[in-house]
Amino acid sequence: MASVFTVSMGFGVVLPLLPFLIERLVGESASAGEVSRSTGLLTGLYMLSLFLFAPMWGRLSDRHGRRVILLIGLTGFGATMLVFAFVESLVAVYAERILSGLFAAAVTPVALAAVGDLAATDEVRARRLTFVSLAGVSGFLLGPMLGVFIARAAADVLSITNPMGSLAFPLGATAVLAFSVAGAAVLAIPRSRRRGRMGAPDPTASSTGRWLIPNLLILGFIVAAGVGVFEVGLALRGKQELGMTPTQIALMFTECSLVMLVVQAIVFSPWIKPSATRWLIAPALVVLATGLFLLPRATDFTLMLAVIGAVAASAGILAPILTYWTSSMAGQAQGAQLGRQTAAASLGAAVGSAGGGLLYDVAWLPDASFIIMAVLTGFGVVLGMAMPRMLTHALPIDRQRRASAEN
């Protein structure tokens, strides 16, 4: 949980300040389009790096154990954040985002795999995976606010006029946290992984099951792409169209994280059986598509908050559900399967973030990124409607009976 919290907080620290940082590095002559494109590309590069390297780290953790991979990931992530605190060019920022994503890719899927290794029942697996997901949301919740407030405090106390100078303080604090958690992992995580006691079915055993894992990966891609478009679009729209300050933008991201925390705590609470969560996939995708379509049309602040809450709630429900079912189907290959799931989500976030920046100010199609993403999410609704039946058939006979009884 602490490992995932750290990398999520590191990402959140940078996000609301990124447009202002790019504007400072490029110069006062930077156009709004140039800032939006760089914001989207930088955010997308981080996620693309996660996509490229998460499967590799997951397979290595299956082979060599969870602890050593987590140590590499946390130490490398802390080092890149420390370097980021002192970069002075846009090229160096691009390089740092790639390296930071490379090491972050060794943290989230491996932490989830460690949970999957030790899960003895469906309920334990669901609760513990939710705890890790909540830790990630909490990191993203605190990251934007910490980044803004620590940077502002440093600028006021030390009379720093260079935004990069004030940004060095929250980035340095994130690096120290990463190094500390890496040290704690030496004591908390077993040297070699313990094989889980839960058997998992072969998802390719039937013609229906052969499409199960690909469908889960596609849905993970769609959800993450929608969140990527949403995050970048929210930051750019808040700055360029609504004239919001970094603090106001950070508060909107804080609302997103709070909503995600609440809905995840409810979905995987003791009152909802893990097997029943498969029925929530399609409805949550409907809400996500509707929220993405309405977001650029929400000019009233109250309506804006309502739409943001809807998008955050749907994404907050879908992410842990897809992770839970992927882990349930993974058997002993927790690292490899969850690495692929993280890769699919990261690719979606990369495409969504880059698209959200590149298509933000397209003249021939206003709000292009939101419209395209809403349509793609509509395709996800169609896939989501078939998931309850596919997931039920992929379960062992005893778990199928239990799931039917619970529902």
Side-chain angles (χ1 to χ4, degrees), residues 6 16 29 37 73 94 103 106 134 138 158 176 241 275 285 310 320 322 400:
T6 300
S29 60
R37 284 191 293 272
Y94 275 94
F103 289 109
L134 290 174
S138 299
L158 302 177
V176 171
E241 295 185 24
S275 60
L285 285 165
L322 297 176
Q400 288 185 31

Side-chain angles (χ1 to χ4, degrees), residues 68-365:
V68 64
I69 303 302
L70 272 179
L71 290 176
I72 293 172
L74 288 166
T75 303
F77 183 79
T80 58
M81 295 297 285
L82 195 59
V83 169
F84 193 18
F86 302 100
V87 296
E88 297 182 355
S89 71
L90 191 58
V91 174
V93 174
Y94 275 94
E96 188 281 334
R97 289 288 82 191
I98 294 173
L99 291 174
S100 185
L102 183 154
F103 289 109
V107 175
T108 299
V110 177
L112 293 170
V115 171
D117 288 342
L118 301 175
T121 65
D122 284 335
E123 288 73 18
V124 170
R125 183 191 301 274
R127 304 292 181 265
R128 290 180 177 176
L129 288 174
T130 301
F131 292 156
V132 176
S133 180
L134 290 174
V137 174
S138 299
F140 187 75
L141 166 65
L142 293 177
M145 295 305 298
L146 285 175
V148 170
F149 288 127
I150 294 177
R152 177 192 288 178
D156 292 342
V157 172
L158 302 177
S159 300
I160 298 175
T161 58
N162 184 346
M164 293 190 68
S166 59
L167 185 59
F169 289 88
L171 291 173
T174 304
V176 171
L177 178 61
F179 296 142
S180 301
V181 174
V186 174
L187 301 176
I189 300 176
R191 182 179 298 274
S192 59
R193 75 182 184 94
R194 193 181 98 195
R195 293 190 175 272
R197 286 177 282 170
M198 291 181 59
D202 179 2
T204 65
S206 65
S207 58
T208 301
R210 276 195 292 270
W211 291 100
L212 176 58
I213 295 299
N215 281 7
L216 285 170
L217 296 179
I218 291 171
L219 290 176
F221 171 89
I222 291 173
V223 173
V227 173
V229 168
F230 168 73
E231 289 176 345
V232 172
L234 190 61
L236 293 173
R237 189 163 186 263
K239 180 182 184 298
Q240 297 182 8
E241 295 185 24
L242 304 179
M244 294 182 175
T245 65
T247 301
Q248 291 173 315
I249 296 174
L251 284 172
M252 289 194 297
F253 283 111
T254 299
E255 180 206 353
C256 297
S257 300
L258 285 172
V259 172
M260 288 183 179
L261 278 171
V262 172
V263 297
Q264 288 184 12
I266 293 174
V267 168
F268 282 109
S269 67
W271 299 281
I272 299 179
K273 297 297 184 181
S275 60
T277 58
R278 66 192 189 278
W279 297 102
L280 300 176
I281 296 175
L285 285 165
V286 171
V287 174
L288 179 61
T290 304
L292 289 170
F293 181 78
L294 293 178
L295 183 62
R297 293 159 180 77
T299 55
D300 178 75
F301 183 69
T302 303
L303 182 58
M304 187 80 166
L305 290 179
V307 173
I308 291 172
V311 172
S314 58
I317 288 173
L318 287 165
I321 288 176
L322 297 176
T323 299
Y324 163 74
W325 284 106
T326 301
S327 178
S328 294
M329 299 296 108
Q332 302 302 330
Q334 293 288 321
Q337 289 289 12
L338 289 168
R340 294 187 187 101
Q341 195 260 357
T342 300
S346 300
L347 179 62
V351 172
S353 298
L358 294 172
L359 299 176
Y360 183 77
D361 58 348
V362 174
W364 55 270
L365 181 60

Side-chain angles (χ1 to χ4, degrees), residues 13-90:
V13 161
V14 177
L15 192 57
L17 294 174
L18 204 51
F20 301 89
L21 179 61
I22 293 168
E23 195 173 63
R24 171 66 178 82
L25 292 174
V26 175
E28 297 181 357
S29 60
S31 65
E34 188 175 2
V35 172
S36 65
R37 284 191 293 272
S38 294
T39 300
L41 287 173
L42 282 168
T43 307
L45 273 177
Y46 179 89
M47 295 300 174
L48 181 62
S49 190
L50 287 173
F51 161 72
L52 293 174
F53 296 104
M56 176 195 73
W57 291 121
R59 288 192 298 271
L60 288 174
S61 73
D62 283 337
R63 184 179 305 171
H64 302 291
R66 313 303 183 200
R67 185 172 73 173
V68 64
I69 303 302
L70 272 179
L71 290 176
I72 293 172
L74 288 166
T75 303
F77 183 79
T80 58
M81 295 297 285
L82 195 59
V83 169
F84 193 18
F86 302 100
V87 296
E88 297 182 355
S89 71
L90 191 58

Side-chain angles (χ1 to χ4, degrees), residues 371-388:
I371 293 174
I372 293 172
M373 197 61 241
V375 172
L376 182 60
T377 307
F379 170 72
V381 173
V382 177
L383 290 181
M385 293 174 66
M387 291 307 294

